[in-house]
Amino acid sequence: MSPSHTASLPFDLKRPIIGAPMAGGISTPELVAAVTNAGGLGFLAGGYKTPHQLAEQIIATRALTSGPIGVNLFVVAANDVDEHELETYRQELKYYADRYGIEVGTHKWDDDSWHGKLDVLQDLKPDVVSFTFDCPEVEVLDELNALDIHTAVTVTSTDEARIAAERGAQILIVQGTDAGGHRATFDPAAEPGTEPLPDLITAIRNTTDLSLIAGGGISTREQVRTVLDAGAAAVQVGTALLLADEAGTNSTHRSALQDPTFTETKVTRAFTGRPARGLRNRFMDEHDRSGHAYPQIHYITAPLRAAAAANNDPHALHLWAGTGYRTTHTGPAADIIADLTP
């Protein structure tokens, strides 16, 4: 199937730009509304929030825009972890905790309030709901689709795309290897793919007629055009918005993105147990983990990361960023979206 047969999105946008959902406070209602008001589609990140917090953010975003908004949820699978390995890692990290005068976090598993958040979505009905880390069961997608909520699943391979299409997703969000933050691989133990994004789009385009949104390392107008030409109906950007005025990016993260001493990005499992790309720092290099205990490791390191941000320590903080971080710039989100639009 050629790019000329690209399936259009089931909703209208003035600009083919999607603001990626960035958990941890970055995707504020102000940022989401600004992207939508600029003609794109902004996404709230539901990850790590309580259902009540998510509901509040959806309501706050609705008050700032009359355009469409999206919400993203994590699909967290149960796992079988090595308790001894996790405790060993906790002890390894006591060095950081002692330095900040805090305690290392306790590892646990939860489903990120899955059912409570689905209830919120069914009640407040955002225009689009996307899913990351796995594909929901058929029943979940059917229930949302029946409420006229467009459903999207983030995929990183043709196999994942087939699963999402078979279960009833209306849109596929194709995540390339250069994306910042967590990789969306369904299997957290799998090594992230290395296929260039245009090639991955083409491969998935040849397996499905579903609308495709694609992103990963996109930071220039020329790159947006390349992705659209490869067969995507829209481009998803996250790193490009990290320095936007409306973004909730903490000051330590903002400074690091503009610090010339950070010269590359790297994929690591050290912060959360899932592969994620960020600015390469000392914590990554000192804790080269291959384990995939998510969200257990997330909870172990969460207090350390919060303390690192509070103490302006970029070398103990997860500085999520895609490979195009050097071209990010400050300013209103509307100007950033306009600059990216071909």
Side-chain angles (χ1 to χ4, degrees), residues 26 56 67 69 74 97 106 131 141 165 171 193 207 228 230 239 243 262 267 271 273 276 312 316 336:
I26 297 174
E56 287 187 327
I69 64 169
F74 292 162
T106 301
F131 299 94
L141 295 175
I171 303 164
T207 69
L228 295 176
T239 301
L243 295 179
F262 288 97
V267 175
F271 289 110
N312 194 30
I336 296 171

Side-chain angles (χ1 to χ4, degrees), residues 19-35 42-49 57 61 64 74 180-182 237-255 257 277-279 305 309 317-322 328 331 333 336:
M22 294 177 281
I26 297 174
S27 292
T28 62
E30 291 77 15
L31 177 62
V32 175
V35 173
F43 261 88
L44 285 169
Y48 308 132
K49 294 184 176 72
Q57 288 217 321
T61 306
L64 297 171
F74 292 162
H182 283 107
V237 298
T239 301
L241 294 167
L242 285 173
L243 295 179
D245 295 346
E246 301 89 344
T249 314
N250 66 64
S251 59
T252 305
H253 196 171
R254 284 179 178 269
S255 296
L257 288 165
R277 183 180 295 280
L279 301 182
R305 290 179 280 134
L317 182 62
H318 58 299
L319 304 168
W320 298 152
T328 59
I336 296 171

Side-chain angles (χ1 to χ4, degrees), residues 130-145:
S130 69
F131 299 94
T132 301
F133 296 162
D134 207 340
C135 181
E137 296 300 323
V138 172
E139 294 77 13
V140 172
L141 295 175
D142 283 350
E143 288 175 3
L144 294 171
N145 291 337

Side-chain angles (χ1 to χ4, degrees), residues 321-342:
T323 57
Y325 74 97
R326 277 296 177 214
T327 58
T328 59
H329 57 86
T330 60
D335 291 351
I336 296 171
I337 298 300
D339 287 345
L340 288 170
T341 305

Side-chain angles (χ1 to χ4, degrees), residues 180-195:
H182 283 107
R183 297 288 287 140
T185 49
F186 291 3
D187 179 2
E191 288 301 313
T194 58
E195 192 171 13

Side-chain angles (χ1 to χ4, degrees), residues 158 162 195 197-208 230:
T158 54
R162 289 191 189 96
E195 192 171 13
L197 181 58
D199 294 345
L200 180 59
I201 294 169
T202 299
I204 292 176
R205 180 76 279 142
N206 288 331
T207 69
T208 180

